[in-house]
CSV table of all heavy atoms in Angstrom, one decimal:
chain,number,residue,atom,x,y,z
A,2,MET,N,72.0,99.3,80.2
A,2,MET,CA,73.2,99.0,80.8
A,2,MET,C,74.2,100.2,80.8
A,2,MET,O,74.5,100.7,79.7
A,2,MET,CB,73.9,97.8,80.1
A,2,MET,CG,75.1,97.2,80.8
A,2,MET,SD,75.7,95.9,79.8
A,2,MET,CE,76.1,94.7,81.1
A,3,ALA,N,74.7,100.5,81.9
A,3,ALA,CA,75.6,101.8,82.0
A,3,ALA,C,77.0,101.4,81.6
A,3,ALA,O,77.5,100.3,81.9
A,3,ALA,CB,75.6,102.4,83.4
A,4,LYS,N,77.6,102.3,80.9
A,4,LYS,CA,79.0,102.2,80.4
A,4,LYS,C,80.0,102.5,81.6
A,4,LYS,O,79.6,103.6,82.2
A,4,LYS,CB,79.4,103.0,79.3
A,4,LYS,CG,79.0,102.3,77.9
A,4,LYS,CD,79.7,103.2,76.9
A,4,LYS,CE,79.5,102.5,75.5
A,4,LYS,NZ,80.2,103.3,74.4
A,5,THR,N,80.9,101.8,81.8
A,5,THR,CA,81.9,102.2,82.8
A,5,THR,C,83.1,102.9,82.1
A,5,THR,O,83.5,102.4,81.1
A,5,THR,CB,82.4,101.0,83.7
A,5,THR,OG1,83.0,100.1,82.8
A,5,THR,CG2,81.3,100.4,84.5
A,6,GLN,N,83.7,103.9,82.8
A,6,GLN,CA,84.9,104.6,82.2
A,6,GLN,C,86.1,103.8,82.6
A,6,GLN,O,86.3,103.4,83.7
A,6,GLN,CB,84.9,105.9,82.8
A,6,GLN,CG,83.8,106.8,82.4
A,6,GLN,CD,84.3,107.7,81.1
A,6,GLN,OE1,85.4,107.9,81.0
A,6,GLN,NE2,83.3,108.1,80.3
A,7,THR,N,87.0,103.6,81.5
A,7,THR,CA,88.2,102.9,81.8
A,7,THR,C,89.3,104.1,81.8
A,7,THR,O,89.3,105.0,81.0
A,7,THR,CB,88.6,102.1,80.6
A,7,THR,OG1,87.5,101.1,80.4
A,7,THR,CG2,89.9,101.3,80.9
A,8,PRO,N,90.2,104.0,82.9
A,8,PRO,CA,91.2,105.1,83.0
A,8,PRO,C,92.1,105.1,81.8
A,8,PRO,O,92.4,104.0,81.3
A,8,PRO,CB,91.8,104.8,84.3
A,8,PRO,CG,91.5,103.5,84.7
A,8,PRO,CD,90.2,103.0,83.9
A,9,VAL,N,92.5,106.3,81.3
A,9,VAL,CA,93.3,106.4,80.1
A,9,VAL,C,94.8,106.0,80.8
A,9,VAL,O,95.3,106.7,81.6
A,9,VAL,CB,93.4,107.9,79.7
A,9,VAL,CG1,94.4,108.0,78.6
A,9,VAL,CG2,92.0,108.3,79.2
A,10,ARG,N,95.4,105.1,80.1
A,10,ARG,CA,96.7,104.6,80.4
A,10,ARG,C,97.8,105.3,79.6
A,10,ARG,O,98.9,105.3,80.0
A,10,ARG,CB,97.0,103.1,80.4
A,10,ARG,CG,96.0,102.5,81.4
A,10,ARG,CD,96.3,101.0,81.5
A,10,ARG,NE,95.4,100.5,82.5
A,10,ARG,CZ,95.2,99.1,82.5
A,10,ARG,NH1,95.7,98.3,81.8
A,10,ARG,NH2,94.4,98.7,83.6
A,11,CYS,N,97.4,105.6,78.4
A,11,CYS,CA,98.5,106.2,77.4
A,11,CYS,C,97.7,107.4,76.8
A,11,CYS,O,96.7,107.5,76.4
A,11,CYS,CB,98.6,105.2,76.4
A,11,CYS,SG,99.8,105.8,75.2
A,12,LYS,N,98.6,108.6,76.9
A,12,LYS,CA,98.1,109.7,76.3
A,12,LYS,C,99.2,110.4,75.6
A,12,LYS,O,100.4,110.2,75.9
A,12,LYS,CB,97.4,110.7,77.4
A,12,LYS,CG,98.5,111.3,78.4
A,12,LYS,CD,97.9,112.2,79.3
A,12,LYS,CE,99.0,112.7,80.2
A,12,LYS,NZ,98.5,113.8,81.1
A,13,SER,N,98.9,111.3,74.7
A,13,SER,CA,99.9,112.0,73.9
A,13,SER,C,100.4,113.2,74.8
A,13,SER,O,99.6,113.9,75.3
A,13,SER,CB,99.4,112.6,72.6
A,13,SER,OG,100.3,113.4,72.0
A,14,VAL,N,101.7,113.2,74.9
A,14,VAL,CA,102.3,114.4,75.7
A,14,VAL,C,102.9,115.4,74.9
A,14,VAL,O,103.4,116.4,75.3
A,14,VAL,CB,103.2,113.9,76.8
A,14,VAL,CG1,102.6,113.0,77.9
A,14,VAL,CG2,104.4,113.2,76.2
A,15,PHE,N,102.9,115.1,73.6
A,15,PHE,CA,103.6,116.0,72.6
A,15,PHE,C,102.6,117.0,71.9
A,15,PHE,O,103.1,118.0,71.6
A,15,PHE,CB,104.4,115.2,71.6
A,15,PHE,CG,105.3,114.3,72.2
A,15,PHE,CD1,105.3,113.0,72.1
A,15,PHE,CD2,106.5,114.8,72.8
A,15,PHE,CE1,106.4,112.2,72.7
A,15,PHE,CE2,107.6,114.1,73.2
A,15,PHE,CZ,107.4,112.6,73.3
A,16,LYS,N,101.4,116.5,71.6
A,16,LYS,CA,100.6,117.4,70.9
A,16,LYS,C,100.1,118.5,71.5
A,16,LYS,O,99.5,118.5,72.6
A,16,LYS,CB,99.4,116.5,70.3
A,16,LYS,CG,100.0,115.5,69.3
A,16,LYS,CD,98.8,114.8,68.5
A,16,LYS,CE,99.3,113.8,67.5
A,16,LYS,NZ,98.2,113.1,66.9
A,17,GLY,N,100.2,119.7,71.0
A,17,GLY,CA,99.7,120.9,71.6
A,17,GLY,C,98.7,121.4,70.6
A,17,GLY,O,98.5,122.6,70.5
A,18,GLY,N,98.0,120.5,70.0
A,18,GLY,CA,96.9,121.0,69.1
A,18,GLY,C,97.3,120.8,67.7
A,18,GLY,O,96.5,120.8,66.7
A,19,GLY,N,98.6,120.7,67.4
A,19,GLY,CA,99.1,120.5,66.0
A,19,GLY,C,99.4,119.0,65.7
A,19,GLY,O,99.2,118.2,66.6
A,20,SER,N,99.8,118.8,64.5
A,20,SER,CA,100.1,117.4,64.1
A,20,SER,C,101.5,117.0,64.3
A,20,SER,O,101.8,115.8,64.2
A,20,SER,CB,99.7,117.2,62.6
A,20,SER,OG,100.5,118.1,61.8
A,21,THR,N,102.4,118.0,64.8
A,21,THR,CA,103.8,117.7,65.0
A,21,THR,C,104.3,118.3,66.3
A,21,THR,O,103.5,119.2,66.8
A,21,THR,CB,104.8,118.2,63.8
A,21,THR,OG1,104.6,119.6,63.7
A,21,THR,CG2,104.4,117.6,62.5
A,22,THR,N,105.4,118.1,66.8
A,22,THR,CA,105.9,118.7,68.0
A,22,THR,C,107.3,119.3,67.6
A,22,THR,O,107.8,119.1,66.6
A,22,THR,CB,106.1,117.5,69.0
A,22,THR,OG1,106.4,118.2,70.3
A,22,THR,CG2,107.2,116.6,68.7
A,23,THR,N,107.7,120.1,68.5
A,23,THR,CA,108.9,120.8,68.3
A,23,THR,C,110.1,120.0,68.9
A,23,THR,O,109.9,119.1,69.7
A,23,THR,CB,109.0,122.3,69.1
A,23,THR,OG1,108.9,122.0,70.4
A,23,THR,CG2,107.8,123.1,68.6
A,24,LYS,N,111.2,120.3,68.5
A,24,LYS,CA,112.4,119.6,68.9
A,24,LYS,C,112.6,119.9,70.4
A,24,LYS,O,112.9,119.0,71.2
A,24,LYS,CB,113.7,120.1,68.1
A,24,LYS,CG,113.8,119.5,66.9
A,24,LYS,CD,115.1,120.0,66.0
A,24,LYS,CE,115.1,119.6,64.6
A,24,LYS,NZ,116.3,120.0,64.0
A,25,ARG,N,112.3,121.2,70.8
A,25,ARG,CA,112.5,121.5,72.2
A,25,ARG,C,111.5,120.7,73.1
A,25,ARG,O,111.9,120.1,74.1
A,25,ARG,CB,112.1,122.9,72.4
A,25,ARG,CG,112.3,123.5,73.8
A,25,ARG,CD,112.1,125.0,73.8
A,25,ARG,NE,112.2,125.5,75.2
A,25,ARG,CZ,111.2,125.9,75.9
A,25,ARG,NH1,109.9,126.0,75.2
A,25,ARG,NH2,111.3,126.3,77.1
A,26,ARG,N,110.3,120.6,72.7
A,26,ARG,CA,109.3,119.8,73.5
A,26,ARG,C,109.7,118.3,73.6
A,26,ARG,O,109.5,117.6,74.6
A,26,ARG,CB,108.0,120.0,72.9
A,26,ARG,CG,106.8,119.4,73.6
A,26,ARG,CD,106.5,120.2,74.9
A,26,ARG,NE,105.4,119.6,75.6
A,26,ARG,CZ,105.3,119.4,76.9
A,26,ARG,NH1,106.2,119.8,77.6
A,26,ARG,NH2,104.2,118.9,77.3
A,27,PHE,N,110.1,117.7,72.4
A,27,PHE,CA,110.6,116.4,72.3
A,27,PHE,C,111.6,116.1,73.3
A,27,PHE,O,111.7,115.1,74.1
A,27,PHE,CB,110.9,116.0,71.0
A,27,PHE,CG,111.3,114.6,70.8
A,27,PHE,CD1,110.4,113.6,70.7
A,27,PHE,CD2,112.7,114.3,70.8
A,27,PHE,CE1,110.8,112.2,70.6
A,27,PHE,CE2,113.0,112.9,70.8
A,27,PHE,CZ,112.1,111.9,70.6
A,28,THR,N,112.7,117.0,73.4
A,28,THR,CA,113.8,116.8,74.2
A,28,THR,C,113.4,117.0,75.7
A,28,THR,O,114.0,116.2,76.5
A,28,THR,CB,114.8,118.0,73.9
A,28,THR,OG1,115.3,117.9,72.5
A,28,THR,CG2,116.1,117.8,74.8
A,29,GLU,N,112.5,118.0,76.0
A,29,GLU,CA,112.0,118.0,77.3
A,29,GLU,C,111.4,116.8,77.9
A,29,GLU,O,111.7,116.4,78.9
A,29,GLU,CB,111.0,119.2,77.5
A,29,GLU,CG,111.5,120.6,77.3
A,29,GLU,CD,110.5,121.6,77.2
A,29,GLU,OE1,109.3,121.4,77.3
A,29,GLU,OE2,111.0,122.8,77.3
A,30,LYS,N,110.5,116.2,77.0
A,30,LYS,CA,110.0,115.0,77.4
A,30,LYS,C,110.9,113.8,77.6
A,30,LYS,O,110.8,113.0,78.4
A,30,LYS,CB,108.7,114.7,76.5
A,30,LYS,CG,107.6,115.4,76.7
A,30,LYS,CD,107.0,115.3,78.0
A,30,LYS,CE,105.9,116.2,78.4
A,30,LYS,NZ,105.3,116.0,79.7
A,31,TRP,N,111.9,113.8,76.6
A,31,TRP,CA,112.9,112.7,76.8
A,31,TRP,C,113.7,112.8,78.0
A,31,TRP,O,114.0,111.8,78.7
A,31,TRP,CB,113.8,112.9,75.5
A,31,TRP,CG,114.8,111.8,75.3
A,31,TRP,CD1,116.2,112.0,75.6
A,31,TRP,CD2,114.6,110.4,75.1
A,31,TRP,NE1,116.8,110.8,75.4
A,31,TRP,CE2,115.9,109.8,75.1
A,31,TRP,CE3,113.5,109.7,74.8
A,31,TRP,CZ2,116.1,108.5,74.9
A,31,TRP,CZ3,113.7,108.3,74.5
A,31,TRP,CH2,114.9,107.7,74.5
A,32,VAL,N,114.1,114.1,78.4
A,32,VAL,CA,114.8,114.3,79.7
A,32,VAL,C,113.9,113.9,80.9
A,32,VAL,O,114.4,113.3,81.8
A,32,VAL,CB,115.2,115.8,79.8
A,32,VAL,CG1,115.8,116.1,81.2
A,32,VAL,CG2,116.3,116.1,78.7
A,33,GLU,N,112.6,114.1,80.9
A,33,GLU,CA,111.6,113.7,81.9
A,33,GLU,C,111.7,112.2,82.0
A,33,GLU,O,111.8,111.8,83.1
A,33,GLU,CB,110.3,114.3,81.4
A,33,GLU,CG,109.6,115.0,82.4
A,33,GLU,CD,108.2,115.5,82.0
A,33,GLU,OE1,107.3,114.7,82.0
A,33,GLU,OE2,108.1,116.6,81.3
A,34,LEU,N,111.7,111.5,80.9
A,34,LEU,CA,111.6,110.1,80.8
A,34,LEU,C,112.9,109.5,81.5
A,34,LEU,O,112.9,108.6,82.3
A,34,LEU,CB,111.4,109.5,79.5
A,34,LEU,CG,111.4,108.0,79.3
A,34,LEU,CD1,110.4,107.4,80.2
A,34,LEU,CD2,111.4,107.7,77.9
A,35,VAL,N,114.0,110.1,81.1
A,35,VAL,CA,115.4,109.6,81.6
A,35,VAL,C,115.4,109.8,83.1
A,35,VAL,O,115.8,109.0,83.8
A,35,VAL,CB,116.5,110.2,80.8
A,35,VAL,CG1,117.8,109.9,81.6
A,35,VAL,CG2,116.6,109.8,79.4
A,36,ASN,N,115.0,111.0,83.7
A,36,ASN,CA,115.0,111.2,84.9
A,36,ASN,C,114.1,110.4,85.7
A,36,ASN,O,114.4,109.9,86.8
A,36,ASN,CB,114.7,112.8,85.2
A,36,ASN,CG,115.7,113.7,84.8
A,36,ASN,OD1,116.9,113.5,84.7
A,36,ASN,ND2,115.3,114.9,84.5
A,37,LEU,N,113.0,110.0,85.2
A,37,LEU,CA,112.1,109.1,85.9
A,37,LEU,C,112.7,107.8,86.0
A,37,LEU,O,112.6,107.1,87.1
A,37,LEU,CB,110.8,109.1,85.2
A,37,LEU,CG,109.7,108.1,85.7
A,37,LEU,CD1,109.1,108.8,86.9
A,37,LEU,CD2,108.5,108.1,84.6
A,38,LEU,N,113.3,107.2,84.9
A,38,LEU,CA,114.0,106.0,84.9
A,38,LEU,C,115.1,105.9,86.0
A,38,LEU,O,115.2,105.0,86.7
A,38,LEU,CB,114.5,105.6,83.6
A,38,LEU,CG,113.4,105.2,82.5
A,38,LEU,CD1,113.9,105.1,81.2
A,38,LEU,CD2,112.6,104.0,83.0
A,39,GLU,N,115.9,106.9,86.0
A,39,GLU,CA,117.1,107.1,86.9
A,39,GLU,C,116.5,107.0,88.3
A,39,GLU,O,117.1,106.4,89.3
A,39,GLU,CB,118.0,108.3,86.6
A,39,GLU,CG,118.6,108.2,85.4
A,39,GLU,CD,119.7,107.0,85.4
A,39,GLU,OE1,120.4,106.8,86.4
A,39,GLU,OE2,119.8,106.5,84.3
A,40,LYS,N,115.5,107.7,88.6
A,40,LYS,CA,114.9,107.9,89.9
A,40,LYS,C,114.3,106.5,90.4
A,40,LYS,O,114.6,106.1,91.4
A,40,LYS,CB,113.8,109.0,90.0
A,40,LYS,CG,113.2,109.2,91.4
A,40,LYS,CD,112.1,110.1,91.3
A,40,LYS,CE,111.5,110.3,92.7
A,40,LYS,NZ,110.6,109.3,93.2
A,41,SER,N,113.7,105.8,89.5
A,41,SER,CA,113.2,104.4,89.8
A,41,SER,C,114.3,103.5,90.1
A,41,SER,O,114.1,102.6,90.9
A,41,SER,CB,112.3,104.0,88.7
A,41,SER,OG,112.9,103.7,87.6
A,42,LYS,N,115.3,103.6,89.4
A,42,LYS,CA,116.5,102.8,89.7
A,42,LYS,C,117.2,103.0,91.1
A,42,LYS,O,117.5,102.2,91.7
A,42,LYS,CB,117.6,103.0,88.7
A,42,LYS,CG,117.4,102.2,87.4
A,42,LYS,CD,118.6,102.0,86.6
A,42,LYS,CE,119.0,103.2,85.6
A,42,LYS,NZ,120.0,102.9,84.8
A,43,ARG,N,117.2,104.3,91.5
A,43,ARG,CA,117.7,104.7,92.8
A,43,ARG,C,116.8,104.2,93.9
A,43,ARG,O,117.2,103.8,95.0
A,43,ARG,CB,117.7,106.2,92.9
A,43,ARG,CG,119.0,106.8,92.8
A,43,ARG,CD,119.2,108.3,93.2
A,43,ARG,NE,117.8,109.0,93.1
A,43,ARG,CZ,117.4,109.9,92.3
A,43,ARG,NH1,118.1,110.1,91.2
A,43,ARG,NH2,116.3,110.4,92.4
A,44,ASP,N,115.5,104.1,93.7
A,44,ASP,CA,114.5,103.7,94.6
A,44,ASP,C,114.4,102.3,94.8
A,44,ASP,O,113.8,101.8,95.8
A,44,ASP,CB,113.1,104.4,94.4
A,44,ASP,CG,113.2,105.9,94.5
A,44,ASP,OD1,114.1,106.5,95.0
A,44,ASP,OD2,112.2,106.5,93.9
A,45,MET,N,114.9,101.5,94.0
A,45,MET,CA,114.8,100.0,94.0
A,45,MET,C,115.7,99.4,95.0
A,45,MET,O,116.9,99.9,95.1
A,45,MET,CB,115.0,99.3,92.6
A,45,MET,CG,113.9,99.6,91.6
A,45,MET,SD,114.3,98.9,90.0
A,45,MET,CE,114.8,97.3,90.3
A,46,PRO,N,115.3,98.5,95.8
A,46,PRO,CA,116.2,97.8,96.7
A,46,PRO,C,117.3,96.9,95.9
A,46,PRO,O,117.0,96.5,94.9
A,46,PRO,CB,115.3,96.9,97.6
A,46,PRO,CG,114.0,96.8,96.8
A,46,PRO,CD,114.0,97.9,95.9
A,47,VAL,N,118.5,96.9,96.6
A,47,VAL,CA,119.4,96.2,96.0
A,47,VAL,C,119.3,94.7,96.1
A,47,VAL,O,118.9,94.1,97.2
A,47,VAL,CB,120.9,96.4,96.6
A,47,VAL,CG1,122.0,95.7,96.0
A,47,VAL,CG2,121.1,98.0,96.5
A,48,ARG,N,119.3,93.9,95.0
A,48,ARG,CA,119.1,92.4,95.0
A,48,ARG,C,120.4,91.8,95.1
A,48,ARG,O,121.5,92.2,94.4
A,48,ARG,CB,118.5,92.0,93.7
A,48,ARG,CG,117.0,92.1,93.8
A,48,ARG,CD,116.3,91.5,92.5
A,48,ARG,NE,116.2,90.2,92.5
A,48,ARG,CZ,115.8,89.4,91.6
A,48,ARG,NH1,115.6,89.8,90.4
A,48,ARG,NH2,115.6,88.0,91.8
A,49,ARG,N,120.5,90.8,95.9
A,49,ARG,CA,121.8,90.0,96.0
A,49,ARG,C,121.6,88.6,95.9
A,49,ARG,O,120.6,88.0,96.1
A,49,ARG,CB,122.4,90.3,97.5
A,49,ARG,CG,122.8,91.7,97.6
A,49,ARG,CD,123.6,91.9,98.8
A,49,ARG,NE,124.0,93.3,98.9
A,49,ARG,CZ,124.8,93.7,99.7
A,49,ARG,NH1,125.4,93.0,100.6
A,49,ARG,NH2,125.1,95.0,99.8
């Protein structure tokens, strides 16, 4: 029976081969997340 590949839904965006991340990299990803959330709010239709 062949195994099917399940797409990866969650991945580490911080690790660059080490066990910790830098403050700069953490801040960059945090800004990325906030921008993504703000963009998604803009794109949503207004509910009344």
Side-chain angles (χ1 to χ4, degrees):
M2 185 181 222
K4 277 189 167 181
T5 58
Q6 290 266 334
T7 305
V9 176
R10 292 185 178 166
C11 183
K12 67 177 184 173
S13 174
V14 294
F15 297 114
K16 291 185 180 177
S20 60
T21 61
T22 189
T23 62
K24 287 181 184 180
R25 179 174 177 251
R26 185 74 175 136
F27 180 83
T28 303
E29 287 172 358
K30 286 299 175 181
W31 185 251
V32 168
E33 236 178 82
L34 176 63
V35 169
N36 288 338
L37 182 66
L38 291 171
E39 290 295 321
K40 181 180 183 285
S41 69
K42 280 200 270 187
R43 261 194 335 258
D44 296 342
M45 287 177 49
V47 178
R48 277 182 86 189
R49 292 183 182 198

